[in-house]
Amino acid sequence: MRPLSLPVCLLIALFFLTFSTAHASQTYYIKDSGLHLSIDELIAAEGATTAAFEWQPITTAIPAFGFSASTYWVRIDLPPLAPADQIFWVNYPLLDTLELHHYRVVPETGLLPVYSVISGDLLPFAHRPLPTRGFSFPLELGAPESHRIYVKMAGTDSLLLPWSVQPLPKFIAAEQQESLILGAAFGLLLVMLLYHTFLFMGSRDGNQRNYCLFVVSNLLLQLLQKGILFQYVLSDMPALNNLLIPVSINLTVVASAVLVNRLLRIHRVGGQQALLLKIITIAGVLVTLGCIVAPGRFTLLLSLGLSVVAVGIIFSISLMRAIAGSRTARYLMLGWTVYIIGGLTFIASRFGLIEPSSLTENSLLLGLCAEVVLVSMAMVARYNQARNQLLVTQQKQTEQERELRIAQELIATTARRASDRLETEVQRRTNELEQATRELKTANEQLTTLARIDALTGLHNRRYLAELFASLAAGLKRAAHTQAKPVRRNISFIIGDIDHFKPINDQYGHQTGDECIRDVAGAIRQAVARPDDHIIRYGGEEYLIVLPDTQLDDAIAIAERVRLRVTQLSPAGLPLGRGLTMSFGVSVVVIDSESLAPEQMLHEGIIAADTMLYKAKHAGRNQTVGRA
């Protein structure tokens, strides 16, 4: 559970809390304020004529004591239970200290101890009686008789005790149902994260990066609150697990503020909204550092307070932008609304206002999933808006060009009538022409950039080669000038071609062929990882890899790594067992800073690699052939 990540919702839940009365007749508590009672002292004091304390009845469905530094004892009187396997379940994994003492109530002799256990998230996970995310304790039952459970609880988080006693089969079924919901929810978050990570890798767009950070921070927070990270990763590091909870809250605040700021372009407009988001971001970073330096209840409460302020500000900004007509802001506002509703549902379930179930227990996580999807839709709306603005700009340019032609005709007509009017009109129209030319040049530069990218794979296309070769040659000459001596540099070329690609297109269709080309491009990206390496879609099913400062053996090894990855692909549309193979040709050229035509030498390297590819094809395909 997020440590009451929506305290505003908590206040609403607490307002209605008095209407719930389940467990009121059998559940009691005392506040151990400085008494430091042990279980033996507690039971002895119960039997004394003058006790130092008095048990108070709990009038709520679930015992809840808020953020308190005190220790609480809860007494639960259970009716006679059938002698079957029963589980005492506390579905709240964030209690620092949790002691359970089980007694049988025998009329003749009084309380007979059954067993005691000490647990809590300050202890390693292996100390728990049952390996579950919450705290589960098997009850040892004999003949049908009454039972009494004493629970001692303390912690830096909010003190809640959502307990229940369930037969073992029902408990297992509930755990399986919740695991199914968690698997579906976390699976969706991971899919959205991977999808936008690939989009970021292909586009290097800042909004995609910010979205990925937003999902990662929320995913980390949910894994911590559900106890999954403690169970499977940090089981021997309880201190680190508790430290990461407030840290992840603040990281979520920072990521949310940055995402909204950039996605709605608030930073470009400036003003109070931009200032507020900037303050939230800086405060989140500072509180994160405070949680690391001085972990404890104060920094946790500070983190929760910041999260409340951040949610309110971000929701208000999204609402104002949505009212102003921003479609992107509408999706953001809807996402935060669903998330808040999920928090309200979760808190209402925690405090017994509605019937608890697997859905209500995970409503906050499900609300997050809905929010992540809606934020993704907001990004789509943002990109559609940018595309429409580009189309409007192009239409304006076309209209300006038409007006320019009309102006030129008008100048030619009025030239015969009055030289003074001609000079004035020429000057005015010339200014318009210069402005249109500048805008057209900007648009052409944008189109030139897009023209160097292959639309199917996202790789550079063949037009990029001239720019690349010029850059390599210029870099070599700069290095020679800097070092004041001739410089030589190895450039390796790998040309790969998908084997038997035409039969794939003919037999399974061009859509399947396109899937194969995209999958192969992805495999090459995974195998070629250096920033200075270049991957180019050279032809229909041909790929060119340019590897600066790479020897022949290393280039052949990279080609082999790509070839093996391709054989492991299973593109959509191909039948099971019908995989892909590739043939590769590798060459190495050495360019010299004193050469008069280094770019010609680079072209010769491509020709040599293509020759090696031809040899690989004729040698049986699915292999690599190279020479220096």
Side-chain angles (χ1 to χ4, degrees):
M1 160 184 167
R2 175 174 293 187
L4 300 183
S5 61
L6 295 172
V8 174
C9 303
L10 176 59
L11 293 177
I12 297 173
L14 290 175
F15 178 78
F16 294 101
L17 196 57
T18 56
F19 293 100
S20 178
T21 59
H23 304 311
S25 62
Q26 58 182 1
T27 311
Y28 307 88
Y29 81 96
I30 60 170
K31 182 178 181 180
D32 188 356
S33 300
L35 297 178
H36 305 293
L37 295 171
S38 66
I39 183 63
D40 295 332
E41 294 171 338
L42 185 69
I43 295 176
E46 280 186 322
T49 56
T50 57
F53 57 86
E54 181 179 355
W55 289 101
Q56 301 294 326
I58 295 177
T59 59
T60 59
I62 296 174
F65 307 107
F67 287 92
S68 175
S70 300
T71 299
Y72 285 83
W73 283 92
V74 176
R75 191 187 81 191
I76 303 170
D77 294 331
L78 299 177
L81 299 173
D85 292 334
Q86 301 278 349
I87 301 297
F88 184 86
W89 186 20
V90 178
N91 190 18
Y92 184 58
L94 300 181
L95 288 172
D96 292 350
T97 300
L98 182 66
E99 293 185 16
L100 182 136
H101 305 276
H102 178 198
Y103 289 83
R104 287 189 300 164
V105 180
V106 181
E108 296 81 6
T109 58
L111 298 178
L112 294 180
V114 179
Y115 85 107
S116 299
V117 63
I118 299 177
S119 188
D121 67 0
L122 294 181
L123 297 175
F125 190 82
H127 283 68
R128 299 192 180 185
L130 294 177
T132 59
R133 290 177 291 102
F135 300 99
S136 305
F137 308 94
L139 296 181
E140 300 178 7
L141 304 177
E145 54 194 352
S146 299
H147 297 263
R148 179 170 292 179
I149 305 293
Y150 293 94
V151 178
K152 180 182 179 180
M153 54 189 295
T156 57
D157 212 308
S158 180
L159 296 181
L160 297 174
L161 191 67
W163 67 274
S164 63
V165 176
Q166 299 182 6
L168 181 59
K170 183 178 179 181
F171 171 75
I172 294 175
E175 280 285 285
Q176 290 175 343
Q177 184 179 10
E178 184 163 1
S179 296
L180 180 63
I181 295 175
L182 291 177
F186 285 118
L188 173 63
L189 294 177
L190 287 175
V191 166
M192 298 299 294
L193 175 61
L194 290 174
Y195 173 70
H196 284 273
T197 299
F198 288 138
L199 290 180
F200 169 68
M201 294 173 61
S203 64
R204 297 297 175 181
D205 180 64
N207 285 326
Q208 299 289 351
R209 177 199 60 218
N210 296 335
Y211 178 87
C212 292
L213 294 177
F214 171 76
V215 176
V216 167
S217 60
N218 278 281
L219 185 60
L220 174 63
L221 183 56
Q222 289 298 322
L223 289 172
L224 288 165
Q225 292 167 348
K226 290 295 181 182
I228 297 175
L229 207 63
F230 185 44
Q231 181 177 4
Y232 294 106
V233 180
L234 304 176
S235 56
D236 294 326
M237 295 177 282
L240 179 59
N241 179 74
N242 288 312
L243 172 64
L244 286 178
I245 291 176
V247 170
S248 62
I249 293 175
N250 293 300
L251 292 180
T252 301
V253 169
V254 172
S256 301
V258 172
L259 177 66
V260 172
N261 192 15
R262 297 290 175 173
L263 191 58
L264 297 181
R265 293 187 171 184
I266 297 174
H267 64 290
R268 295 187 178 181
V269 179
Q272 293 182 350
Q273 293 180 355
L275 179 60
L276 287 173
L277 291 175
K278 185 176 182 180
I279 292 173
I280 290 175
T281 303
I282 296 174
V285 174
L286 294 178
V287 176
T288 300
L289 296 177
C291 293
I292 296 174
V293 175
R297 178 177 287 103
F298 174 75
T299 51
L300 176 59
L301 292 174
L302 192 61
S303 302
L304 294 175
L306 178 61
S307 69
V308 172
V309 174
V311 168
I313 291 177
I314 291 174
F315 182 82
S316 300
I317 291 175
S318 301
L319 178 61
M320 287 187 287
R321 290 297 178 112
I323 294 175
S326 172
R327 188 175 181 183
T328 303
R330 291 173 187 170
Y331 283 111
L332 286 176
M333 184 194 67
L334 182 59
W336 282 105
T337 301
V338 173
Y339 186 55
I340 292 173
I341 291 174
L344 284 169
T345 305
F346 175 77
I347 293 174
S349 171
R350 275 291 189 215
F351 288 95
L353 300 179
I354 60 177
E355 182 68 23
S357 66
S358 295
L359 288 177
T360 59
E361 286 296 317
N362 295 286
S363 57
L364 186 61
L365 176 59
L366 297 178
L368 172 63
C369 292
E371 181 187 24
V372 167
V373 172
L374 289 169
V375 172
S376 179
M377 295 174 65
M379 297 182 66
V380 172
R382 170 70 186 83
Y383 291 132
N384 287 337
Q385 180 184 3
R387 183 187 62 184
N388 294 335
Q389 289 177 349
L390 179 60
L391 291 176
V392 171
T393 302
Q394 291 175 344
Q395 291 174 356
K396 288 183 179 179
Q397 291 175 350
T398 302
E399 182 66 21
Q400 288 175 348
E401 291 175 355
R402 188 182 67 83
E403 292 180 357
L404 178 61
R405 289 193 298 270
I406 295 174
Q408 290 173 340
E409 294 174 359
L410 180 61
I411 291 173
T413 302
T414 57
R416 296 187 298 267
R417 297 178 180 178
S419 59
D420 52 345
R421 292 179 58 191
L422 175 63
E423 293 176 357
T424 303
E425 192 68 11
V426 167
Q427 183 63 39
R428 184 173 67 86
R429 295 299 181 180
T430 300
N431 293 336
E432 294 179 356
L433 174 61
E434 291 175 352
Q435 178 66 23
T437 301
R438 286 193 297 268
E439 295 177 356
L440 183 60
K441 180 180 179 182
T442 302
N444 287 335
E445 290 175 352
Q446 295 176 350
L447 293 174
T448 300
T449 301
L450 294 175
R452 294 196 299 268
I453 301 299
D454 177 56
L456 179 60
T457 63
L459 302 175
H460 291 297
N461 58 25
R462 198 162 183 166
R463 297 186 186 93
Y464 176 68
L465 275 177
E467 178 182 337
L468 174 61
F469 286 175
S471 175
L472 291 173
L476 191 68
K477 292 185 181 298
R478 285 196 302 270
H481 178 74
T482 302
Q483 300 177 21
K485 64 179 182 180
V487 175
R488 296 163 61 88
R489 191 178 188 187
N490 289 342
I491 307 294
S492 292
F493 296 90
I494 301 174
I495 294 183
D497 183 86
I498 302 175
D499 297 329
H500 305 295
F501 183 74
K502 186 177 184 304
I504 293 176
N505 264 342
D506 295 342
Q507 185 173 358
Y508 303 106
H510 290 281
Q511 184 174 359
T512 299
D514 290 347
E515 289 292 336
C516 295
I517 290 174
R518 277 193 291 265
D519 288 355
V520 168
I524 295 175
R525 284 194 185 99
Q526 294 176 357
V528 181
R530 295 188 309 179
D532 293 337
D533 297 338
H534 305 273
I535 307 172
I536 299 166
R537 186 182 177 193
Y538 196 59
E541 66 272 17
E542 280 189 319
Y543 302 84
L544 171 63
I545 305 172
V546 182
L547 305 171
D549 303 318
T550 304
Q551 301 296 332
L552 178 62
D553 291 343
D554 295 333
I556 291 175
I558 292 174
E560 278 296 290
R561 189 160 65 237
V562 175
R563 186 182 66 81
L564 292 176
R565 285 182 180 270
V566 170
T567 60
Q568 299 171 1
L569 294 176
S570 299
L574 290 183
L576 187 64
R578 176 63 165 92
L580 297 176
T581 62
M582 288 188 70
S583 301
F584 293 90
V586 184
S587 69
V588 178
V589 298
V590 180
I591 57 176
D592 194 324
S593 60
E594 295 184 339
S595 172
L596 298 178
E599 297 181 24
Q600 180 61 33
M601 297 176 66
L602 294 171
H603 281 289
E604 292 175 358
I606 294 180
I607 295 173
D610 191 62
T611 302
M612 294 298 100
L613 173 62
Y614 179 80
K615 291 182 179 182
K617 289 286 188 180
H618 280 267
R621 294 182 171 84
N622 194 21
Q623 58 183 282
T624 301
V625 177
R627 71 169 177 81

